[in-house]
Amino acid sequence: QLQLQESGPGLVKPSETLSLTCTVSGGSISSSSYYWGWIRQPPGKGLEWIGSIYYSGSTYYNPSLKSRVTISVDTSKNQFSLKLSSVTAADTAVYYCARHPYDFWSGYPYWYFDLWGRGTLVTVSS
Amino acid sequence: DIQMTQSPSTLSASVGDRVTITCRASQSISSWLAWYQQKPGKAPKLLIYKASSLESGVPSRFSGSGSGTEFTLTISSLQPDDFATYYCQQYNSYSGRTFGQGTKVEIK
């Protein structure tokens, strides 16, 4: 059964770069059927999509975060990663990695998330 | 950006009740809407996609309907496991993939 697991520092200082990795187990990240994404949730608040990547390296980013976000994939390790630069307290959140299907007919992903990791809390504080 | 507004924000109900949650989009999103269930400390779980398609493994008491700007999630007979927060998410527009603010279903 395919599972996703986030990992990375739980505490990041303001102005520094937040770095997280999502490890895919029980299946291949190189599956042509899926995109892989990051979503975050500030404590007590709603959900915000950050960005997504295909195994080929094709990416989509939330325009509101695009200038600070880089998502990359390492198929040899079955992992994909998130980097968010110049963080502030507003970036404190639970960060989830998730999977969403790829529509071969249109050539674009479907943008609903059908499998999620457990999430990891990242706090931005000095 | 497309804004998603859920109502109510909180809903008190009893086991066995029929529950309906509404999600409104600020502009038409066709049927590109998903519903998720989230329990405290857990990741969201996909329930419904494309407005009315039930995700595999999700109980049939959950159903979704609507198109354009108004959508509903219905739980036909509320079960103890269903007390949670529910989110809608639009995926019509590339700009945002926005989620609603959530509806908490509480025990009455």
Side-chain angles (χ1 to χ4, degrees):
Chain A
Q1 183 178 356
L2 193 137
Q3 294 184 323
L4 308 177
Q5 179 66 59
E6 305 87 351
S7 60
L11 181 64
V12 181
K13 289 182 169 56
S15 79
E16 295 189 345
T17 296
L18 178 159
S19 296
L20 295 174
T21 295
C22 182
T23 300
V24 178
S25 59
S28 175
I29 201 171
S30 298
S31 167
S32 57
S33 299
Y34 296 101
Y35 264 73
W36 308 92
W38 289 97
I39 297 137
R40 68 180 182 179
Q41 185 173 35
K45 296 188 178 180
L47 298 154
E48 179 180 37
W49 169 71
I50 300 169
S52 297
I53 192 164
Y54 198 48
Y55 77 96
S56 63
S58 174
T59 53
Y60 291 89
Y61 296 129
N62 186 326
S64 68
L65 297 169
K66 186 174 183 177
S67 63
R68 299 194 291 131
V69 173
T70 302
I71 296 176
S72 58
V73 63
D74 186 336
T75 55
S76 67
K77 294 182 178 179
N78 232 27
Q79 295 176 334
F80 63 106
S81 299
L82 168 70
K83 291 189 185 299
L84 180 66
S85 63
S86 305
V87 298
T88 69
D91 294 310
T92 294
V94 175
Y95 285 76
Y96 295 100
C97 57
R99 181 185 80 173
H100 53 114
Y102 174 67
D103 180 12
F104 290 95
W105 185 81
S106 71
Y108 292 99
Y110 288 117
W111 291 100
Y112 60 86
F113 302 94
D114 67 353
L115 185 67
W116 297 61
R118 292 185 175 183
T120 187
L121 175 63
V122 179
T123 301
V124 178
S125 175
S126 56
Chain B
D1 286 5
I2 298 176
Q3 306 301 317
M4 306 301 293
T5 304
Q6 288 182 233
S7 60
S9 296
T10 305
L11 186 160
S12 297
S14 302
V15 172
D17 284 353
R18 181 181 181 87
V19 167
T20 299
I21 299 168
T22 297
C23 181
R24 290 187 173 86
S26 59
Q27 64 189 75
S28 177
I29 58 170
S30 185
S31 296
W32 303 117
L33 186 100
W35 288 98
Y36 301 85
Q37 176 194 68
Q38 186 178 34
K39 297 181 179 179
K42 301 293 186 182
K45 172 187 174 183
L46 177 67
L47 300 175
I48 302 282
Y49 61 95
K50 207 174 180 183
S52 60
S53 295
L54 190 69
E55 172 70 351
S56 176
V58 174
S60 59
R61 63 181 180 273
F62 291 93
S63 63
S65 64
S67 65
T69 62
E70 186 153 337
F71 302 84
T72 59
L73 173 71
T74 299
I75 309 172
S76 60
S77 177
L78 196 66
Q79 298 302 300
D81 191 48
D82 302 337
F83 292 97
T85 299
Y86 293 84
Y87 292 94
C88 63
Q89 177 221 341
Q90 69 84 12
Y91 54 101
N92 177 73
S93 167
Y94 166 60
S95 61
R97 312 282 177 254
T98 44
F99 292 81
Q101 82 279 15
T103 295
K104 185 176 183 179
V105 177
E106 296 181 327
I107 300 173
K108 191 172 185 180

